[in-house]
Amino acid sequence: MPQTVKYKRLRKELRAMALTTGLVGATTLLIFAIIWQIGLTRGTVAYFIPVLIAATRWGIVSALYAAILGVLASAFFFFPPRFSLTITDPQEVINLVLYVFVAIVVSQLATRLKRQLETSHRREIEIRDLYDFSRRLAVAFDVADIQSAIEDHLTTVTQRKVVLFAGARESGTAGKRRNAGAAPPEVLVEVKNFAAAGRDNVTGVTVAGDAGETWLVRAVSPKSPEFGLIAINFGRHSQDDSDELRARVDAALADATATLERLGIAHAINEAHMRSQTDQLREALIGSVSHELRTPLASILGAATVLSTAPALQNEPKLQALVQDVRSEAERLNEDIQNLLDASRISSDGIKPQAEWAEPADIIDSALERCRSRMAGHRIVLNLPSDLPLIHVDPVLVKQALVQIFDNAAKYSSPSSQITVAARARDGRMVLSVSDQGAGLSATEQPQIWDRFVRGERQAATTSGSGLGLWIANAFIAANGGRMNAVSDGPGKGATLAIELPVTQAAVPHMESDADE
Amino acid sequence: MHEAGSGTEGIRAATLRPIDIVIVDLGLPDMDGSEVVERIRSWSTVPIIVLSVRSTEAQKVRLLEIGADDYVVKPFGIAELLARVRVALRRQSRAASGEPAVTVGPLTIDLAARAVTLDGVRLALTPKEYRLLQVLAQHAGNVVTHQHLLKEVWGSIHMQDTHYLRIFVRKLRQKIEPKADSPKILATELGVGYRLAYSGAEGETPVLAPAKAES
């Protein structure tokens, strides 16, 4: 195989020589033309043209060849005696020597320039690849994204098939699943051994594949096993070539790991592993908490309702009141459990709105239904226009946000006061507002009410609560693309809490026909 | 009444004796409650009511799709559970006796004559409005999911077009509700579907009007 390569290089060189000869010939004809047309006799300067062209395009050898051809052609065609290589005029000899000297300098300069251009061009490609790579890493969402980015980057840089195996810890199993059949079995075995041995082998090992190909197996970074292992298909190459390739792989990996380390990817990968485990744990915990806590609550509530209707208690107002207490406290406990579960769902970025076209009046109705017993004493005034547009939201989340607001309104206002619920659509937004005549908000309280675990100092002593309610409501509304705001004239003057939701009227899908059938 | 401690035991019990209604708790030691629903539904039409801790609306819809008649969310009052049981039993007996009329508060739907009356006054409904009411009446007292209604009334290609449903429910409420802005008959189960049930002014749980054929 080296023979073919050398032959190729020779052929390339010969082609350049032939082209140079052609160029010199063309220049000679040009000079002849100038002599005939204008009568200029000192045309040898024109031989710099082929020298320059050859130097920039084909390198120093062709440039020197062009210079020699130029000297010969000038001596033969233009310096007296013509059509002979002998030169009589010493002036002309000096000219020619000068010409040769300048040609050599020029061709050297041109070749160096060419090489620099090529280097900077290659460097530019490398930098672009690296830049692409770090950009992909920046938007990578999970470990798999990062790994496929590493894999793609190495494939681009080495121009060889690269297979990446996930973290050495997993003994390449994850990688195997992802790249089933991407590498021959021998390589997979070696990957496994390599990972199991956990050696910090920088150069890696070569494996011969079944089709006579050689594969290089090595760690992406000897310092950070999180990045995994790579197997690179070297194809059928001689020792020289694979050494060269190996150097290129080393360089590419060094660049890549530098980028990975700069971005703290190792840390991120570890964290992602840990986070997915914590997520699973949390899911399981939430599931069992809600089941384990709610099942006894159901029994308590069931027993309390049976007790409250028991004939034996009909004439015992004190016992009746106690049963009522048990019931309402059990209900409150249930709400608190729900709030804690909602809060942990929000913290783990777990709200995924199930948007559908919803009737705003239905949402308000069902929120009122939920809070009916809590607001039993209050006068509820509904102010709903009949032509409210449909909104595209998750109705359950919006309802839960409303329930929190109603809950607050009922809690912080006197039992006989009025609560006004209004809805209106304006400027592409739907505003649902709840106004009470209760404790109101002071200027310092106003910006704080949306924070987690914040409770008004005036209220903390007299009413119970976790300080989660409005924070949850705000998160639910934000998940639906809306926002909340609170307005109050001051302490004791009541407050109005409003939910603003986008109304995408234009996006309401057209009904096939308004008429029936 | 038979009480079973696990899913397999429950399914076996349901096969051994004639039963009127099955109440399944979703949190079972040996299997998921929804699997019990699916297994029993594969050979029986017995009413099934599911008890669950507050599951998501998507889970409720799935339970109804695999054959549960209704669900009650924990913690619940006994009255609520009893009301749901009564509704499910009544539906079963109505299906068995072939009784054509469904009465919900002041509203009567005569499924045989395709006639709807409100306080004795006959209502003029468009064919689609009637179809919507008919599907709800066939499941009177139980939740009917959005997807089921859309499929039955508009066809399966419109299963995701909830806005059709909203617009027609709005129209229908204007005709069948005594007060359209505070619906008492066509109740919304947010995120799940609709329920045809009459909730009186003071009643805490929606119940059907006094029935002629109580089992």
Side-chain angles (χ1 to χ4, degrees):
Chain A
M1 264 174 287
Q3 269 73 26
T4 37
V5 176
K6 266 181 201 156
Y7 176 66
K8 234 188 206 166
R9 197 171 296 159
L10 196 68
R11 248 181 58 175
K12 207 171 144 195
E13 212 62 63
L14 279 176
R15 189 170 151 271
M17 296 260 186
L19 283 170
T20 314
T21 317
L23 266 177
V24 175
T27 315
T28 312
L29 287 179
L30 182 77
I31 299 170
F32 267 123
I34 291 170
I35 288 171
W36 277 334
Q37 290 290 319
I38 318 168
L40 280 177
T41 46
R42 301 200 178 275
T44 43
V45 178
Y47 282 112
F48 279 125
I49 298 170
V51 173
L52 275 173
I53 294 176
T56 47
R57 304 208 62 162
W58 304 301
I60 187 106
V61 179
S62 303
L64 291 178
Y65 174 68
I68 293 165
L69 278 187
V71 169
L72 294 179
S74 313
F76 193 74
F77 293 113
F78 304 113
F79 297 152
R82 287 197 171 183
F83 308 111
S84 145
L85 284 176
T86 46
I87 303 163
T88 45
D89 192 346
Q91 181 69 38
E92 303 287 8
V93 176
I94 291 167
N95 272 354
L96 268 185
V97 171
L98 267 178
Y99 163 77
V100 169
F101 178 71
V102 173
I104 289 170
V105 172
V106 162
S107 54
Q108 259 176 350
L109 280 177
T111 331
R112 198 178 304 156
L113 192 73
K114 181 190 167 215
R115 207 176 304 136
Q116 270 170 3
L117 255 176
E118 276 168 0
T119 320
S120 73
H121 184 61
R122 205 170 48 233
R123 200 59 212 149
E124 189 194 316
I125 291 176
E126 277 168 17
I127 286 172
R128 207 179 50 211
D129 284 347
L130 261 184
Y131 177 66
D132 282 348
F133 176 51
S134 52
R135 211 170 37 185
R136 271 193 65 181
L137 285 178
V139 298
F141 191 69
D142 53 19
V143 182
D145 280 358
I146 294 174
Q147 281 163 347
S148 76
I150 298 177
E151 201 176 274
D152 289 352
H153 172 67
L154 290 177
T155 311
T156 327
V157 174
T158 58
Q159 299 289 316
R160 290 285 182 282
K161 187 175 173 65
V162 176
V163 185
L164 186 117
F165 296 89
R169 275 182 297 209
E170 290 155 19
S171 309
T173 44
K176 233 189 277 173
R177 220 175 304 126
R178 215 157 43 86
N179 299 301
E186 295 88 344
V187 176
L188 292 181
V189 169
E190 185 53 40
V191 166
K192 216 167 180 178
N193 292 342
F194 198 90
R199 40 188 137 150
D200 43 2
N201 190 341
V202 188
T203 44
V205 271
T206 33
V207 194
D210 48 356
E213 299 160 323
T214 35
W215 286 71
L216 174 73
V217 177
R218 56 166 291 178
V220 173
S221 159
K223 274 186 286 177
S224 319
E226 292 84 2
F227 300 150
L229 302 173
I230 49 158
I232 303 168
N233 184 354
F234 274 11
R236 279 171 249 194
H237 279 285
S238 69
Q239 192 59 41
D240 289 357
D241 280 354
S242 65
D243 278 349
E244 190 196 320
L245 204 58
R246 209 180 257 246
R248 225 158 70 204
V249 168
D250 279 348
L253 279 178
D255 278 350
T257 41
T259 309
L260 288 170
E261 260 143 33
R262 183 170 49 78
L263 295 174
I265 299 293
H267 184 62
I269 291 179
N270 273 331
E271 208 159 72
H273 275 298
M274 227 157 68
R275 203 177 307 138
S276 75
Q277 277 168 4
T278 358
D279 272 354
Q280 280 168 10
L281 200 71
R282 182 166 38 211
E283 286 294 307
L285 198 68
I286 287 176
S288 74
V289 161
S290 45
H291 185 78
E292 295 304 324
L293 291 180
R294 285 232 173 84
T295 307
L297 261 181
S299 309
I300 294 172
L301 267 180
T305 38
V306 172
L307 265 184
S308 65
T309 53
L313 289 188
Q314 288 308 316
N315 300 318
E316 301 274 357
K318 275 187 188 161
L319 292 181
Q320 279 278 4
L322 282 178
V323 169
Q324 201 51 49
D325 275 358
V326 171
R327 209 176 139 178
S328 62
E329 289 302 293
E331 266 161 14
R332 220 193 56 184
L333 184 56
N334 182 42
E335 293 299 315
D336 287 349
I337 294 172
Q338 188 56 48
N339 277 357
L340 280 175
L341 292 177
D342 282 344
S344 76
R345 227 172 96 202
I346 295 167
S347 311
S348 56
D349 283 330
I351 340 176
K352 295 175 193 75
Q354 307 282 318
E356 60 174 45
W357 289 102
E359 175 78 66
D362 279 354
I363 299 177
I364 294 174
D365 254 11
S366 98
L368 281 173
E369 186 63 35
R370 266 291 295 286
C371 302
R372 181 142 45 161
S373 60
R374 264 168 280 177
M375 304 199 299
H378 291 83
R379 248 176 317 126
I380 311 287
V381 177
L382 271 177
N383 186 3
L384 307 178
S386 58
D387 57 344
L388 283 175
L390 297 179
I391 43 179
H392 198 245
V393 293
D394 184 328
V396 181
L397 291 182
V398 177
K399 172 194 138 186
Q400 279 165 3
L402 268 177
V403 167
Q404 300 287 2
I405 296 176
F406 287 152
D407 200 31
N408 267 28
K411 218 156 48 179
Y412 300 126
S413 65
S414 68
S416 56
S417 62
Q418 177 176 313
I419 295 176
T420 311
V421 185
R424 60 178 196 281
R426 193 200 292 157
D427 305 331
R429 299 191 83 77
M430 165 79 70
V431 182
L432 311 175
S433 63
V434 179
S435 316
D436 63 33
Q437 300 173 323
L441 295 165
S442 68
T444 46
E445 284 166 349
Q446 209 150 325
Q448 295 174 352
I449 58 170
W450 311 111
D451 293 342
R452 187 145 58 145
F453 299 124
V454 167
R455 305 205 54 223
E457 278 172 23
R458 293 179 293 137
Q459 268 76 36
T462 51
T463 49
S464 66
S466 56
L468 280 173
L470 288 180
W471 179 73
I472 292 173
N474 199 23
F476 282 177
I477 294 304
N480 279 297
R483 59 161 189 250
M484 291 184 69
N485 59 59
V487 189
S488 174
D489 287 341
K493 290 184 179 155
T496 297
L497 273 89
I499 296 175
E500 267 188 56
L501 291 163
V503 177
T504 39
Q505 191 65 56
V508 174
H510 184 67
M511 281 185 71
E512 274 180 341
S513 74
D514 259 6
D516 282 316
E517 322 267 271
Chain B
M1 193 181 84
H2 180 87
E3 211 171 300
S6 70
T8 23
E9 202 186 316
I11 293 170
R12 207 180 49 234
T15 57
L16 290 180
R17 56 183 81 194
I19 39 170
D20 296 320
I21 192 159
V22 177
I23 298 176
V24 183
D25 191 317
L26 278 193
L28 291 171
D30 57 340
M31 61 170 84
D32 190 53
S34 60
E35 207 183 320
V36 178
V37 175
E38 240 170 338
R39 295 250 204 109
I40 294 180
R41 189 49 86 232
S42 65
W43 48 265
S44 168
T45 57
V46 64
I48 302 175
I49 292 180
V50 174
L51 308 182
S52 73
V53 296
R54 177 136 126 221
S55 41
T56 65
E57 271 57 31
Q59 282 169 303
K60 290 179 191 166
V61 168
R62 209 185 86 77
L63 282 169
L64 295 171
E65 271 166 3
I66 62 174
D69 290 74
D70 216 329
Y71 56 82
V72 183
V73 175
K74 281 184 193 176
F76 48 83
I78 290 296
E80 193 182 355
L81 177 62
L82 287 180
R84 295 288 155 81
V85 168
R86 220 173 288 134
V87 161
L89 287 175
R90 237 176 72 72
R91 194 165 85 76
Q92 187 77 350
S93 70
R94 190 173 56 235
S97 64
E99 184 196 332
V102 177
T103 304
V104 187
L107 188 78
T108 304
I109 303 131
D110 189 331
L111 297 171
R114 296 174 75 88
V116 181
T117 55
L118 181 67
D119 288 324
V121 183
R122 184 155 181 173
L123 298 176
L125 298 181
T126 65
K128 275 244 157 67
E129 285 166 0
Y130 177 75
R131 179 86 187 107
L132 186 60
L133 196 56
Q134 187 191 18
V135 178
L136 286 164
Q138 281 160 357
H139 299 84
N142 291 143
V143 190
V144 186
T145 62
H146 296 140
Q147 280 69 30
H148 185 77
L149 284 169
L150 283 164
K151 196 172 116 197
E152 290 294 315
V153 181
W154 283 276
S156 37
I157 56 162
H158 292 296
M159 295 259 282
Q160 300 308 316
D161 298 333
T162 38
H163 61 291
Y164 282 30
L165 205 50
R166 303 286 176 237
I167 291 164
F168 271 83
V169 164
R170 211 184 258 192
K171 283 191 201 167
L172 193 58
R173 273 177 177 160
Q174 271 158 13
K175 292 185 182 177
I176 65 167
E177 294 280 356
K179 272 169 69 190
D181 51 349
S182 63
K184 294 263 185 279
I185 295 173
L186 211 172
T188 307
E189 290 284 324
L190 223 51
V192 180
Y194 290 100
R195 185 196 295 273
L196 201 61
Y198 186 65
S199 58
E202 75 289 342
E204 231 183 60
T205 47
V207 283
L208 282 182
K212 283 171 272 175
E214 183 75 66
S215 55

